Amino acid sequence: MPKHFLTIPDIPKDEVLQVILRAKEMKDNKVRTDLLAGRTLLLIFEKASTRTRVSFEVGVRQLGGDPVFIAARDSQLGRSEPLKDTARVLSRYADGLIVRTFGQEKLETLVEYGDIPVVNALTDEYHPCQIMADVLTMYERTPDLASLKVAWVGDGNNMAHSFINGSAAFGYELALACPEGYEPDAAILDAAVNRGAKVTLTRDPAVAVSGAHYVNTDVWASMGQEEEQKKREAAFAGYEVNDALMAKGASDVKFMHCLPAHRGEEVSEAVFESPASIVWDQAENRLHAQKAILEWIYK
């Protein structure tokens, strides 16, 4: 049976830190391998991307494989052809699917009807590759992940869900500040808590950030939510990560963002460009974390 990476819990708890350690080793030693030699991985993107596409294409090549990119306009993913048929056909052509799409159920259908690995490059519910890169970024500065307090300020979205799953996997404390009506999915939160996640939920960003070592946020209106922009601006008033909010964190607090960022909305220009900002390390670490994930799948 092929391995898949749809959410962080897909990697067993006794293996997930080893994937992070391998990503660090790959980064430090500029590792190139022939693990994927002779293999073709299809990148099927229904949502546009810069970092995700480039990091996966480069990563597949650095592992000796051949990436093939398929944009939404070129794909039958969930359109006129039943998705289960697409899954069975693509399994005859390629050795893996890296999919950036809307509903998580699409990935689950590809897994059910195909017989090649499927990697979640982003859905509306989860963004696990980003969180693995974020954990690598934190690990580089604080190897004792279980000692950390991580704050999330903003929408209880796919990033928040994956940070919640990350708490169960890596042991850090997670404090989320979300406006009313924008909380994370209760079922996802409950399931993670049952696996050991240490999570608190508040409406007050100052409470979430108090004593935090890392402060994370995301755009207020994600891709596909543009028509909600004005409504969300009103709901998220007071949720900007700015100097005053960062001052409530630990003395060496760092700012993180999955990018792209809307300066002047979820984060101030001053914080984004400050020495506390480690967003470029995060962006680079997508490459290394994803290479380690692919190695975990195919080795």
Side-chain angles (χ1 to χ4, degrees):
M1 294 291 292
K3 289 181 178 178
H4 307 285
F5 186 64
L6 306 190
T7 66
I8 290 173
D10 286 340
I11 303 178
K13 195 166 184 177
D14 61 348
E15 298 178 29
V16 69
L17 181 58
Q18 294 305 311
V19 176
I20 297 298
L21 298 179
R22 178 56 173 159
K24 177 78 167 104
E25 181 181 24
M26 286 178 149
K27 178 179 182 178
D28 291 346
N29 296 295
K30 298 182 169 58
V31 169
R32 308 290 189 272
T33 76
D34 59 0
L35 174 68
L36 298 181
R39 290 188 171 109
T40 300
L41 274 65
L42 305 182
L43 281 69
I44 305 175
F45 281 36
E46 289 194 300
K47 289 189 175 186
S49 168
T50 300
R51 281 157 295 279
T52 301
R53 176 180 176 176
V54 173
S55 59
F56 264 117
E57 287 199 14
V58 171
V60 169
R61 288 192 173 95
Q62 289 185 1
L63 296 179
D66 295 308
V68 174
F69 180 78
I70 304 174
R73 66 180 181 276
D74 305 318
S75 169
Q76 291 291 338
L77 202 66
R79 292 211 305 266
S80 58
E81 181 178 65
L83 187 55
K84 61 183 180 180
D85 293 358
T86 300
R88 289 179 284 208
V89 169
L90 294 181
S91 292
R92 304 292 183 100
Y93 297 151
D95 302 285
L97 304 177
I98 299 168
V99 185
R100 184 177 172 95
T101 187
F102 293 88
Q104 186 79 6
E105 70 279 357
K106 291 189 175 184
L107 300 186
E108 294 166 356
T109 300
L110 291 171
V111 166
E112 180 180 0
Y113 290 95
D115 56 13
I116 56 177
V118 178
V119 176
N120 181 358
L122 176 142
T123 65
D124 290 343
E125 287 79 21
Y126 300 101
H127 199 357
C129 290
Q130 178 67 59
I131 299 306
M132 292 293 281
D134 293 350
V135 171
L136 171 59
T137 306
M138 295 188 293
Y139 175 85
E140 290 178 312
R141 292 161 175 81
T142 323
D144 184 5
L145 294 169
S147 70
L148 296 178
K149 179 180 179 181
V150 178
W152 175 263
V153 178
D155 193 11
N157 60 11
N158 53 2
M159 283 289 294
H161 291 159
S162 289
F163 263 117
I164 289 168
N165 281 340
S167 175
F170 298 104
Y172 55 75
E173 176 189 351
L174 178 66
L176 302 106
C178 305
E180 185 175 0
Y182 295 91
E183 302 89 348
D185 183 278
I188 292 172
L189 178 57
D190 289 346
V193 169
N194 287 337
R195 293 194 307 273
K198 298 178 290 187
V199 182
T200 58
L201 184 61
T202 179
R203 303 265 182 248
D204 188 345
V207 171
V209 173
S210 177
H213 303 94
Y214 296 92
V215 177
N216 296 266
T217 190
D218 194 5
V219 295
W220 292 341
S222 297
M223 196 177 304
Q225 299 172 333
E226 290 82 1
E227 72 282 357
E228 301 178 25
Q229 179 67 32
K230 294 301 181 183
K231 175 185 175 183
R232 285 172 171 264
E233 285 178 6
F236 286 87
Y239 282 77
E240 181 188 63
V241 178
N242 51 34
D243 287 335
L245 188 60
M246 289 288 287
K248 298 183 182 301
S251 59
D252 58 348
V253 63
K254 302 299 182 187
F255 172 74
M256 303 176 73
H257 196 300
C258 60
L259 303 180
H262 294 171
R263 297 165 172 87
E265 289 186 15
E266 76 274 6
V267 58
S268 68
E269 175 79 12
V271 168
F272 190 86
E273 296 291 351
S274 73
S277 176
I278 54 174
V279 299
W280 311 121
D281 290 339
Q282 283 179 269
E284 177 188 348
N285 283 343
R286 287 293 300 276
L287 170 63
H288 310 299
Q290 288 160 189
K291 285 170 62 179
I293 291 165
L294 291 173
E295 187 178 81
W296 172 79
I297 289 171
Y298 287 97
K299 195 167 183 178

